[in-house]
Amino acid sequence: MGEYIGQLVDAPVAKPKAKINPALVNALTPTQQAMPTQAMPQQSMPSQSNLSPKSQEMLRLEQAKRASDQATAPPSAEFMKRAASLKDFEGYLTEYKNELDKDLMVFPKEIPILPSQGIAISLPVGSDTARMNAKYTALLMGVKSAYELGALTGPDMGIVEAQVTNPASISGALTSRDGMKEQVKVLEGILKRGRENLESSYGKKIDFGAPQGGANSANDPLGLRPRKP
């Protein structure tokens, strides 16, 4: 046999894994030490009972001055605009209610033939019908204006219109005056809540003026105007 004279290659030998000394690792790795927390002292407001009589009197005067300044400060333009819309709404509502109280004979202005196509037959309109229709239209315009200015919130304007029947319509001819007066009460509640919400939001009172014709409650059905002594 021939003799092999090539280079010998040693078989790979697995190297032993280095042992990790946990103590050495801990010594070389910096650790974050939690800083001791110190509770900040809470400063509590002294109660009025802990104040001296002089300090209590000064505090009372300061609170009274702030309330007086807020009450006497001139109202903002936004408040005046919304208050004016509520005044208009109240005026239209009172006129419409007074017209209902007359219990006049009111006829429909037109008779619908094809309601889906908006086709109707117009009828002769008397003075009572024209006046009642004008009061109804002005009332809805007053409500809409108050909603648009944010003086009123709540039901959608379309819902309000659907709940108030036009006396000069076929539906009005089928609705009793007592039924229409119940609808007016709904509007009176909306107006009252609108006034209360506006006054509460701005800390101001709405002056509806003195009642016309004296202090008779019939001239001020909602009790919005101040009473004369």
Side-chain angles (χ1 to χ4, degrees), residues 112-183:
I113 303 299
L114 295 175
S116 60
Q117 300 180 14
I119 300 176
I121 297 178
S122 298
L123 300 177
V125 178
S127 60
D128 293 341
T129 299
R131 187 170 56 254
M132 177 64 78
N133 184 71
K135 302 294 184 183
Y136 170 81
T137 303
L139 173 61
L140 291 186
M141 291 179 61
V143 177
K144 183 177 180 181
S145 175
Y147 267 99
E148 290 177 348
L149 292 175
L152 294 178
T153 57
D156 185 77
M157 183 60 196
I159 298 177
V160 175
E161 290 180 350
Q163 291 180 345
V164 182
T165 305
N166 184 359
S169 65
I170 294 294
S171 299
L174 301 176
T175 305
S176 65
R177 283 294 184 268
D178 290 339
M180 293 181 183
K181 290 179 181 178
E182 290 299 320
Q183 296 174 353

Side-chain angles (χ1 to χ4, degrees), residues 55-87:
S55 298
Q56 292 182 15
E57 180 64 17
M58 292 178 61
L59 178 61
R60 185 188 66 80
L61 293 176
E62 180 65 23
Q63 293 174 345
K65 183 178 181 301
R66 291 181 181 178
S68 177
D69 292 343
Q70 182 179 7
T72 57
S76 63
E78 190 68 22
F79 173 82
M80 295 297 295
K81 186 185 301 183
R82 295 182 179 182
S85 68
L86 290 182
K87 291 180 182 180

Side-chain angles (χ1 to χ4, degrees), residues 37-50:
T37 58
Q38 182 178 1
M40 297 296 294
Q42 297 182 354
Q43 297 180 355
S44 58
M45 296 297 294
S47 62
Q48 190 170 353
S49 59
N50 296 333

